[in-house]
Amino acid sequence: MKVLNCEQPERKSVIAVSFLVAFLFLLILRLFHEVDLPLVLSCLGQSSAKWLPFSSTHRRPLRTHYGYTHVKTQEPLHLDCDLCAIVSNSGQMAGQKVGPEIDRSSCIWRMNNAPTKGYEEDVGRKTMIRVVSHTSVPLLLKNPDYFFKETNSTIYVIWGPFRNMRKDGNGIVYNMLRKAADIYPGAQIYVTTEKRMSYCDGVFKKETGKDRVQSGTYLSTGWFTLILAMDACYGIHVYGMINDTYCKSEDFRKVPYHYYEPGRDECDEYILHENAPYGGHRFITEKKVFAKWAKKHKIIFTHPNWTVS
Ligand SMILES: *[C@@H]1O[C@H](CO)[C@@H](O)[C@H](O)[C@H]1NC(C)=O
Ligand SMILES: *[C@@H]1O[C@H](CO)[C@@H](O)[C@H](O)[C@H]1NC(C)=O
Ligand SMILES: *[C@@H]1O[C@H](CO)[C@@H](O)[C@H](O)[C@H]1NC(C)=O
């Protein structure tokens, strides 16, 4: 080898060997990465694939989200999207006619039991991910053939407090999901881990300075959706969400809270929740935080449009 003929063979070969060792180390990490060894990955973080050798840009491995586990197999969620469309349940969606645009996105996200049937022109027809609150699970179970059979390509991500989601037989919502997964083996049902739930609380604390529990609030499904989407998507278009000042603005539109059912006016509902001393969602506070995220991530809020910067 050329190295050995040089003036300082020992030093050079030490360097060469070090490089070789480092390279082999990276290669081994890379191989572990291929088989998804959770320990190695969680140490390296999710961006590891970018600097490990032989990382193919064509065959990008699916991102693994360890905070979400399959209700039956306990496997973590794999999800990696380019442009995501997150469709709000708001009455703002009625008459927007953005269905075809939404359906052209690489991943389409919906929340809770928001329907597409009969609303395709406004909200689109495809659903790739549905983020669902523990309180909305009974609504899915009212129509299980539709949610878990007809639309079995949809990934369900359920969030809820530990008392309802515990896996020891005492979590009532977890039990319902387990049963649904047994009846519908093709259903892709994932639950948010306890650790991930605390992480989402931690994000609220970090962004608002307030402890979620002490301030008497529940996080919204939108909150959990955006946190996962920021990890899974390269870009996000959010349709139909109003901003934090919308209800005080001059061009505000009076619409129902949900596009698919009559009911209380959206702004009335927002204000009621924002001021509830206990048990409300801080929808307006959350929107202020979303606007902040939109400055750091590729997030566009549209219909109605937000101006962020
Ligand atoms: C999903 O449903 C279709 C028809 O409803 C069925 O043919 C297919 O096998 C199901 N997929 C899985 C993974 O169960
Ligand atoms: C809102 O934003 C979309 C896309 O960014 C744009 O096409 C549309 O013209 C905007 N609408 C208004 C009312 O500004
Ligand atoms: C919030 O929404 C209102 C009403 O659509 C709009 O007038 C205002 O410019 C928006 N503010 C921001 C910061 O996007």
Side-chain angles (χ1 to χ4, degrees):
M1 271 169 71
K2 206 177 172 204
V3 168
L4 294 176
N5 296 332
C6 292
E7 282 177 6
Q8 294 173 291
E10 274 167 14
R11 194 163 158 198
K12 286 272 163 88
S13 60
V14 164
I15 292 170
V17 166
S18 312
F19 268 110
L20 193 63
V21 166
F23 180 77
L24 285 175
F25 177 61
L26 290 179
L27 190 60
I28 288 165
L29 283 184
R30 178 73 200 152
L31 290 175
F32 274 129
H33 182 77
E34 296 288 348
V35 297
D36 269 349
L37 191 75
L39 253 178
V40 173
L41 256 189
S42 57
C43 294
L44 291 172
Q46 293 191 337
S47 58
S48 56
K50 289 193 179 75
W51 55 270
L52 292 174
F54 303 144
S55 180
S56 157
T57 49
H58 302 294
R59 198 180 48 83
R60 194 172 56 208
L62 280 176
R63 291 193 203 182
T64 307
H65 306 274
Y66 292 100
Y68 310 85
T69 55
H70 191 279
V71 76
K72 255 177 111 169
T73 65
Q74 309 302 326
E75 281 278 302
L77 172 68
H78 296 281
L79 188 62
D80 192 11
C81 304
D82 286 323
L83 178 62
C84 289
I86 297 178
V87 185
S88 155
N89 297 9
S90 161
Q92 299 288 342
M93 290 308 294
Q96 294 292 359
K97 300 200 181 343
V98 284
E101 179 185 322
I102 287 169
D103 282 338
R104 281 195 297 273
S105 316
S106 40
C107 295
I108 296 141
W109 299 56
R110 301 185 195 274
M111 290 173 269
N112 295 325
N113 62 328
T116 51
K117 238 181 228 169
Y119 304 91
E120 291 89 345
E121 202 185 354
D122 287 332
V123 304
R125 52 184 73 238
K126 298 187 204 162
T127 307
M128 182 166 171
I129 302 116
R130 214 177 250 284
V131 182
V132 179
S133 103
H134 58 121
T135 55
S136 293
V137 168
L139 299 176
L140 302 188
L141 293 174
K142 270 189 186 170
N143 200 355
D145 277 351
Y146 172 74
F147 285 110
F148 300 128
K149 198 163 143 192
E150 267 181 67
T151 59
N152 64 8
S153 60
T154 299
I155 294 169
Y156 291 85
V157 173
I158 320 291
W159 68 269
F162 177 67
R163 65 172 190 282
N164 286 342
M165 304 306 288
R166 52 196 296 165
K167 301 177 180 179
D168 61 359
N170 296 317
I172 56 167
V173 175
Y174 185 82
N175 293 352
M176 290 179 201
L177 295 169
R178 215 21 246 259
K179 210 157 137 194
D182 284 336
I183 299 170
Y184 302 97
Q188 305 181 64
I189 308 174
Y190 290 81
V191 293
T192 308
T193 64
E194 202 187 347
K195 200 172 155 196
R196 186 66 169 176
M197 290 298 297
S198 339
Y199 169 81
C200 293
D201 276 349
V203 174
F204 186 81
K205 177 100 190 246
K206 181 179 152 240
E207 298 290 3
T208 65
K210 285 186 186 144
D211 181 83
R212 179 192 66 77
V213 178
Q214 279 171 18
S215 69
T217 176
Y218 292 109
L219 297 172
S220 73
T221 298
W223 183 269
F224 291 101
T225 304
L226 239 73
I227 286 183
L228 175 57
M230 285 191 291
D231 278 350
C233 313
Y234 288 86
I236 302 173
H237 281 184
V238 183
Y239 292 86
M241 239 181 227
I242 58 174
N243 68 27
D244 63 314
T245 59
Y246 184 89
C247 294
K248 288 188 279 186
S249 75
E250 280 168 16
D251 50 350
F252 116 98
R253 283 202 307 138
K254 207 171 159 67
V255 298
Y257 179 58
H258 287 154
Y259 66 79
Y260 47 89
E261 58 194 12
R264 218 196 306 263
D265 168 72
E266 177 176 54
C267 281
D268 289 348
E269 190 83 356
Y270 267 49
I271 292 162
L272 192 76
H273 271 273
E274 192 71 14
N275 300 319
Y278 182 78
H281 291 301
R282 301 294 179 244
F283 287 128
I284 297 174
T285 303
E286 288 186 6
K287 298 302 182 290
K288 210 180 283 177
V289 175
F290 293 173
K292 199 170 141 194
W293 291 344
K295 289 180 196 172
K296 291 183 287 183
H297 300 264
K298 278 180 70 177
I299 310 177
I300 290 171
F301 289 88
T302 171
H303 303 89
N305 288 355
W306 299 17
T307 34
V308 177
S309 69

